[in-house]
Structures are given as structure tokens and as C-alpha cells.
Amino acid sequence: MIDVLVIEDEIEIQNFIVSLLSTYCKDLQIVGTSSSVAEATSLIKIKKPELIFLDVELKDGKAFDLLNCFDVNDFVTIFLTGYSKYGINAVKYGVSDYLLKPIILKELIESVEKAKAKVKEKHMLRKFYTDATIEEVSGKILVQKINKLKVLLNYAEILNWTSEEGFTRVYLNDNQSFLLNGTLKSFYDKLPSFFIKIHRSHAVNLHFVQSYGMNRNGWVKLNNGTILPVSSRNKRAFLAAINAFSD
């Protein structure tokens, strides 16, 4: 069963979606409903759903306010909205699908099947992940590989961290990478200050930033040639960090 949260501020629509899912999607389990950003944020932390149906415009904010509180791969998201104008932002936030109201059963089922495939992919990846723990005192990260061998990675050798289907991939300056069991957010809070989050899906080592641009579509280029996006929400923090780092 896949745990599902339905977040919709129009109660009739909320009940309608719950009814459709309960009737036609038997492998989904509704673990809660919500009508606001604040309540939904708390529910997600408690219930830890794998899939959420999320109305874009809620009574105390927008869906993006909620998504900004979580890692892009904490759950799979299906947007619900009466407006098509949010499509571009939905893609930027890694939303699985985008359903326009009024909800059509055929489209709902197709959207659910797509989301289920993403959830299944995450489950399969768990067979291949690498465990990791943060060694704060030594300034290193302890990595346990699938074959149980353990290696210590220096923070100074890490170029960037990237969310990847519910896990986090760490890239080294020698072209190695490791898939770690944990979200970017869970690692980021423990990292040294020379790492800065530039996007919901990316954090970079300031030592390896070669150049950057802060126009409408911000970007950072690392010294290995990798180019990563900088979200509008993270631009100010990145500029403050890179300027302080350069002084």
C-alpha cells in the first residue's frame, strides 16, 4: 500500500478525490486530509506519505510554500488546480503530474499510475543505496558501501550534493559519486558552512564554484564543468555566501 495525503481547501472536492481514490485505486491508503499549508506541513512530518495530492491555491498560501519546507524527493506530488498557469513552476518543483479541475476519473487514474511507478522506483533503489553517517569532528563523512566496506570522504573533496529519487548523490572532485540513503535536507543541516544550498535539489561546495550568473534563470558552474540551477528563493543566500567566502 502507498500512503497518501490529500491537501485541498474545498471540502467537497477533497471528499470527491478521497472517494475516487478509495473506489478505484485500491493500492492507495489515505492517511490524512488537509485544507491548509500549515496543517499539511505538520501532517506530512507526522504521517510521512509517499504520495500527496496538492491543491495549488490553499487558504493560507500556495502549494509552493509547502513544497519549500521539504526536500524535492521526500514524496511524490500530484498538483490539483483550476488554473493552467502553474505548469512551469510545477516542473521546476519536480511535480509528478498536474491535474486540472474538474477532476476527470480517467486522468486521475493515469496520474496515479505514473506516481506509483515513481514510488516503486524509489523502493527498488533502496536495494542499491549506500549508507552514510556524518563524522562532524573529523570533518569527514563515513560511507558504508553495499559490500560493507567503509570509506571516509573528506568534505573538501565533495563538489556537490544532489537529490535523486528519495536519496542523495554526492559527487567528488575525482569523478566518483555515491548514492546515499537520506534526503538532501537531512545531510545539509550537518554540513560545514562552505556548502550552500542553491536549489531544493542541489547544494554546492563554494571552493569549487568557477562562475555563476544571477539573471532570471540563475546558474552555478563548478570547476569540473557541471552547471546547476540556482532557484530564485536561494539566490540571495548564495550571493551572500559566495561574497563572504571570497573576501
Side-chain angles (χ1 to χ4, degrees):
M1 299 288 282
I2 296 174
D3 289 347
V4 176
L5 193 64
V6 178
I7 306 163
E8 165 64 58
D9 64 352
E10 295 184 51
I11 300 304
E12 288 186 6
I13 296 178
Q14 183 187 109
N15 291 337
F16 179 61
I17 293 170
V18 169
S19 176
L20 289 179
L21 294 176
S22 300
T23 303
Y24 297 100
C25 304
K26 299 294 187 181
D27 47 357
L28 302 186
Q29 176 173 289
I30 309 298
V31 296
T33 59
S34 176
S35 58
S36 69
V37 171
E39 182 186 34
T41 300
S42 298
L43 265 178
I44 289 171
K45 292 176 180 178
I46 295 169
K47 298 293 186 179
K48 301 188 184 304
E50 294 180 287
L51 170 62
I52 67 170
F53 287 83
L54 180 58
D55 186 14
V56 176
E57 295 190 352
L58 298 165
K59 59 186 181 182
D60 62 342
K62 287 189 167 57
F64 308 108
D65 300 322
L66 184 148
L67 293 178
N68 282 332
C69 297
F70 298 94
D71 188 271
V72 67
N73 287 313
D74 281 345
F75 41 77
V76 175
T77 304
I78 296 175
F79 264 3
L80 308 168
T81 182
Y83 308 94
S84 59
K85 62 183 179 181
Y86 295 112
I88 294 176
N89 274 340
V91 172
K92 289 181 179 179
Y93 275 77
V95 172
S96 172
D97 211 350
Y98 190 98
L99 290 176
L100 287 174
K101 301 174 186 177
I103 303 300
I104 298 172
L105 177 59
K106 180 176 181 292
E107 294 178 354
L108 175 67
I109 292 175
E110 289 174 350
S111 185
V112 166
E113 289 302 314
K114 186 187 299 184
K116 282 164 54 179
K118 286 196 170 187
V119 172
K120 183 178 180 181
E121 184 178 3
K122 289 184 181 182
H123 289 172
M124 292 180 66
L125 275 171
R126 293 190 187 281
K127 299 177 182 179
F128 305 103
Y129 70 73
T130 302
D131 278 331
T133 55
I134 298 293
E135 292 284 320
E136 296 183 39
V137 176
S138 63
K140 298 179 180 180
I141 180 170
L142 178 63
V143 173
Q144 179 174 299
K145 302 173 75 173
I146 297 171
N147 58 11
K148 303 303 180 182
L149 293 176
K150 294 183 179 180
V151 294
L152 278 172
L153 306 178
N154 287 314
Y155 283 127
E157 299 173 346
I158 297 174
L159 277 80
N160 61 291
W161 305 67
T162 294
S163 292
E164 192 170 300
E165 295 299 332
F167 300 85
T168 302
R169 186 170 293 278
V170 57
Y171 292 88
L172 308 184
N173 61 358
D174 62 358
N175 295 321
Q176 288 191 83
S177 70
F178 293 88
L179 187 63
L180 309 182
N181 182 25
T183 64
L184 175 57
K185 181 177 176 58
S186 68
F187 289 111
Y188 182 71
D189 293 340
K190 302 173 185 177
L191 296 180
S193 59
F194 54 79
F195 286 100
I196 184 70
K197 200 169 186 181
I198 60 172
H199 188 277
R200 291 178 71 233
S201 302
H202 305 288
V204 299
N205 185 335
L206 293 172
H207 289 97
F208 295 109
V209 173
Q210 184 181 91
S211 58
Y212 59 90
M214 292 294 112
N215 49 17
R216 184 177 179 183
N217 297 311
W219 54 270
V220 163
K221 183 177 182 180
L222 303 180
N223 64 0
N224 68 343
T226 298
I227 298 176
L228 300 171
V230 179
S231 69
S232 56
R233 183 171 181 262
N234 293 96
K235 281 182 182 179
R236 182 175 297 179
F238 169 73
L239 287 173
I242 195 71
N243 289 333
F245 183 77
S246 302
D247 290 342

